[in-house]
Amino acid sequence: MEILRREFIYIWYYFSIQFEQIFVYWIIGMMIGSAVSVFAKDHLHHALIYLQKKRIGILGIFAASFLGIASPLCMYGTIPIAASFSKGGMRDDWLASFMMASILLNPQLIIYSAALGNKVLIVRIISCLLCGITAGLLIHFLYKDQSFFNFSSFEKPINKDTDSNMFVRYLKNVGRNIQATGPYFFLGILLSALFQRYVPAEMMTMLFGGNEALGVLMAATIGVPLYACGGGTIPLLQQWLWEGMSIGSAASFMLTGPSTKITNLGALKIVLGVRHFCLYLGYVIIFSFLTGIFINFIL
């Protein structure tokens, strides 16, 4: 019993340290994410429609990637918006850029990622933007005269932000945000504490440190099963970076994780079909691997 009590004290110590460092980012991220969702969501989507009317051609791919990151919606909320854009005549390359960037990042996750330090935050934002832009460019040049998406079978989800009072609507959105992200946030801190207590730092350095391509590939690979919620992975990433994980490996994990999150894959499978879905997975893995290698080379 004494041993168990001592181990509990150690784990609680690591847990409390992580909690104190990250909790404020979680709270601020939820407050800002809900604010964008309630007060700015429609404006962001109208901005993309406005750009379509300007007929700026391939430059719209870049703008669509920025707007995808600014959008607070999950993939099941993004696809109905993309479907309505498609029906309005928006090009598939713009839609690909918007949807790819929306999968990878949102205002709430940007705030969460600030806990990882300015360098990692900048790397995450830039790599996600480029992933969206590259996806749009590939569709532009490889599927110029073909349709890449099929939105006909996607059912629009129920909009829960319907209260007539905007302040009440905001509070309800914050509540749903806490309910959706809270369990993963605390689980991530617990896993981080367990890693810190029982996994030697040298092992993390050996697996994910340095410029080795194998470390980047392993980080990209573990992003597939371990990523369940953006906020929940921040404590893990913070701990791994402390213990020697390279920034390139972290970037690779942050790209493959949300891209292969099971809920995102389920939504994408509906609108892509088998062949295009496989192409999507191949693109995500290759892009994340090459990005990790490049980041480790320049940093």
Side-chain angles (χ1 to χ4, degrees), residues 1-10 197:
M1 289 297 295
E2 178 62 27
I3 294 176
L4 290 176
R5 190 183 71 84
R6 187 170 65 246
E7 289 302 309
F8 176 81
I9 292 173
Y10 278 126
R197 175 60 179 157

Side-chain angles (χ1 to χ4, degrees), residues 23-38 72 106-109 111-112 170 173-183 185-186 231:
F23 180 73
V24 65
Y25 295 100
W26 180 55
I27 293 296
I28 294 174
M30 284 192 300
M31 301 294 285
I32 292 177
S34 292
V36 172
S37 181
V38 172
N106 57 54
Q108 186 169 319
L109 191 50
I111 303 299
Y112 290 164
Y170 172 70
N173 193 287
V174 172
R176 290 196 300 273
N177 227 334
I178 294 173
Q179 186 177 12
T181 64
F185 174 76
F186 287 102

Side-chain angles (χ1 to χ4, degrees), residues 36 75 221 261:
V36 172
M75 186 45 47
T221 303
K261 183 180 173 183

Side-chain angles (χ1 to χ4, degrees), residues 113-163:
S113 301
L116 302 175
N118 292 335
K119 186 180 290 186
V120 178
L121 174 62
I122 292 171
V123 164
R124 182 165 208 173
I125 293 173
I126 293 176
S127 62
C128 290
L129 277 171
L130 291 178
C131 190
I133 291 169
T134 304
L137 291 174
L138 287 172
I139 299 299
H140 176 80
F141 289 110
L142 300 179
Y143 286 84
K144 195 167 188 177
D145 300 318
Q146 305 175 52
S147 176
F148 192 78
F149 300 105
N150 179 9
F151 296 104
S152 60
S153 61
F154 194 87
E155 297 180 2
K156 187 174 181 178
I158 298 173
N159 181 16
K160 297 180 180 179
D161 292 319
T162 57
D163 197 284

